[in-house]
């Protein structure tokens, strides 16, 4: 069979049902291979960046590999933002690129380019993939595909790239004669002494917090984790990647913490005397800056599958008392097998008091004649069906949602949590609607982010996808404006219409793609408007008018500890809330 057909057959055999593609001269045979193969379909995107982001979303929602294909040169380089998103969020996906024929390659000639659109995509992508290879020998195709998939899915998952020259794609191969890949299989076992140490320290604590991160979703141990925390009766602070791990109604759910988290969750984490982080690498968005201000009086244990993530804490002068290199698939059950009797009632009561005192409705303001984004997130939770996939784009949109949205037991909230690329949510939502048409799909995106992949509205319409697109329209980049408020005297250069941006009439833009649209311009219309959107089937668009003055509130300014976000509390009130002694940076104001 033709090698390009074998590539499609290989992925179909792994249960990959959709490949996201943009056609080009060097990818034609690969894409025709998809069309020739039962069980897998090609989905045409209008930009390779969107194809890569759709492959990312496909992997997240299915738990299987995502797959995108692109041509050489600009087609391949356009994939890079999506590849990076998979890399930083540990999402297993395969990116197959076409390349110029081997007899048109520059080789060692020293010239920049010989073949038309020749680009060294393997070299370019090595630092943002777990494995990148160019297949020059057709006999190696099975081995290299197997190796790439194995690497993508084992250990800490991530993206891989396979580059195949055009003439190699066209060669005939005997599938039964191909060389296979034989992986080394390493067993992971949780150290019993380490598990016992953590349990013993928990039993001694008075103010424990478990931090839950995206890694729990990646490991597929959500149910085991929920049983564990209920057995231990320990409150849970959530990273953005795990915000939906416990429903809002759960008694042990504190909420999201960190530089863009809630004030009450930050009070809980920063005043804890025991912290166990599961599935979170504790980046600076979680720890604040400087990182050594994070949970500074707590005994801290971090469980991570990546040794380098554990080693980094010494560099940042963060003391981790118990670093554990382990797969959560083995560690969570090992921890759950231990018996411990605890009573953290006073601590849980104090957290509930913080949650009541600093609920988002008391932190934010009603901007008057337009929609309060926090009220939007709150109402959205009320109108969603029992099951829903909610894809949220970056900027203030994700921060508002992470602070105020109340997920139900059947709600999944998705975001490219670490790369946070503008324009990610729409193509990722396309993948979701394709593979789970029975689950309502919502795409919450700011006006700036929607402009980055606006062309994919055509893809939504082409496949008549049941996606409800909610555009939070504040006529600019409010997250950037908030930074400009803090550091650049409120001059909104390149972040506002006056500063150089431009936007379309959103209802007219939706109409141009033949997507039914409505708009919500006032808080009083939120419930009715969102219900109308929820009742709609097929592609739907809703513009929500957000006052351009709305900001993420609270937010921790760089250089301040997480427990002291802006707007700052009166110092006497702040001191009363702190169990741990405040730092000089907080005492001075």
């Amino acid at each position: 069979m033709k090698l390009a057909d074998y590539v499609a057959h290989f992925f179909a055999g792994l249960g990959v049902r959709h490949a996201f593609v943009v056609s080009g001269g060097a990818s034609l045979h690969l894409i025709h291979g998809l069309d020739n193969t039962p069980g897998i379909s090609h989905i045409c995107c209008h930009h390779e960046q969107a194809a890569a982001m759709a492959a990312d979303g496909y992997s997240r929602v299915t738990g299987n590999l995502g797959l995108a294909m692109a041509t050489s040169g600009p087609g391949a380089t356009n994939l890079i933002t999506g590849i990076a998103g998979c890399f930083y969020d540990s999402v297993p996906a395969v990116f197959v690129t076409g390349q110029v024929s081997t007899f048109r390659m520059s080789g060692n000639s020293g010239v920049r380019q010989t073949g038309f659109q020749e680009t060294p995509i393997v070299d370019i992508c090595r630092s943002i993939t777990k494995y990148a290879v160019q297949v020059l020998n057709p006999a190696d195709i099975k081995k290299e595909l197997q190796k790439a998939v194995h690497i993508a899915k084992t250990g800490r998952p991530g993206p891989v790239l396979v580059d195949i020259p055009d003439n190699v794609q066209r060669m005939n191969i005997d599938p039964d004669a191909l060389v296979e890949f034989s992986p080394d299989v390493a067993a992971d076992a949780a150290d019993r002494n380490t598990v016992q140490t953590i349990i013993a320290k928990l039993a001694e604590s008075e103010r424990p917090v478990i931090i839950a991160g995206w890694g729990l979703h990646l490991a597929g141990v959500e149910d085991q984790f929920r049983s564990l925390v209920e057995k231990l009766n320990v409150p849970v602070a959530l990273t953005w990647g795990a915000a939906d791990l416990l429903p809002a109604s759960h008694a042990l759910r504190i909420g999201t913490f960190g530089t863009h988290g809630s004030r009450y969750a930050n009070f809980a984490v920063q005043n804890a005397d025991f912290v166990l982080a599961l599935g979170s690498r504790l980046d600076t968005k979680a720890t604040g800056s400087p990182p050594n201000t994070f949970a500074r009086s707590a005994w801290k244990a971090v469980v991570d599958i990546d040794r380098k993530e554990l080693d980094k804490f010494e560099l940042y002068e963060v003391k981790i008392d118990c670093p554990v290199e382990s797969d959560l698939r083995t560690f969570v059950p090992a921890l759950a097998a231990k018996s411990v009797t605890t009573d953290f009632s006073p601590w849980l009561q104090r957290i509930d008091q913080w949650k009541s005192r600093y609920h988002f409705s008391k932190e934010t303001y009603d901007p008057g004649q337009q929609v309060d984004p926090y009220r939007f997130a709150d109402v959205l939770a009320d109108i969603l069906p029992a099951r829903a996939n909610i894809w949220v784009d970056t900027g203030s949109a994700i921060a508002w949602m992470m602070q105020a949205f109340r997920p139900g037991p059947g709600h999944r909230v998705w975001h490219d949590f670490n790369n946070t690329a503008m324009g990610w949510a729409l193509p990722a939502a396309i993948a979701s609607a394709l593979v789970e048409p029975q689950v309502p799909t919502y795409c919450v995106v700011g006006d700036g982010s929607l402009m980055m992949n606006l062309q994919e509205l055509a893809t939504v319409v082409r496949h008549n996808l049941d996606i409800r697109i909610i555009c939070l329209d504040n006529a600019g980049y409010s997250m950037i404006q908030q930074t400009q408020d803090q550091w650049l005297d409120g001059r909104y250069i390149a972040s506002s219409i006056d500063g150089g941006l431009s936007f379309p009439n959103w209802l007219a833009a939706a109409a141009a793609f033949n997507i039914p649209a409505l708009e919500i311009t006032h808080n009083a219309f939120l419930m009715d408007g969102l219900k109308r959107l929820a009742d709609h089937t097929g592609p739907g668009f809703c513009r929500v008018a957000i006052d351009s003055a709305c900001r993420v509130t609270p937010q921790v300014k760089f250089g301040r500890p997480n427990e002291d976000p802006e707007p700052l509390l009166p110092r006497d009130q702040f001191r009363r809330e702190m169990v741990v002694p405040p730092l000089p940076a907080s005492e001075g104001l």
Side-chain angles (χ1 to χ4, degrees), residues 76-128:
T77 56
N78 280 344
L79 294 171
I80 287 175
T81 301
I83 295 173
C86 291
F87 186 68
Y88 295 121
D89 277 4
S90 304
V91 175
V94 181
F95 298 90
V96 180
T97 51
Q99 185 57 271
V100 301
S101 295
T102 55
F103 51 83
R104 292 192 176 96
M105 290 182 175
S106 298
N108 297 321
S109 67
V111 302
R112 293 188 178 185
Q113 186 184 64
T114 298
F116 176 68
Q117 292 188 339
E118 179 186 8
T119 300
I121 193 62
V122 169
D123 291 337
I124 291 171
C125 289
R126 285 194 197 281
S127 62
I128 54 168

Side-chain angles (χ1 to χ4, degrees), residues 163-182:
D163 190 49
I164 309 176
D166 177 66
N167 61 324
V168 176
Q169 296 173 33
R170 292 182 275 114
M171 292 179 181
N172 286 322
I173 58 170
D174 178 0
D176 295 330
L178 294 174
V179 179
E180 297 201 12
F181 173 67
S182 298

Side-chain angles (χ1 to χ4, degrees), residues 31 129 329 350 439 471 503 579:
I31 294 171
T129 55
R329 293 178 182 89
R350 180 154 195 167
V439 180
C471 176
F503 296 96
V579 181

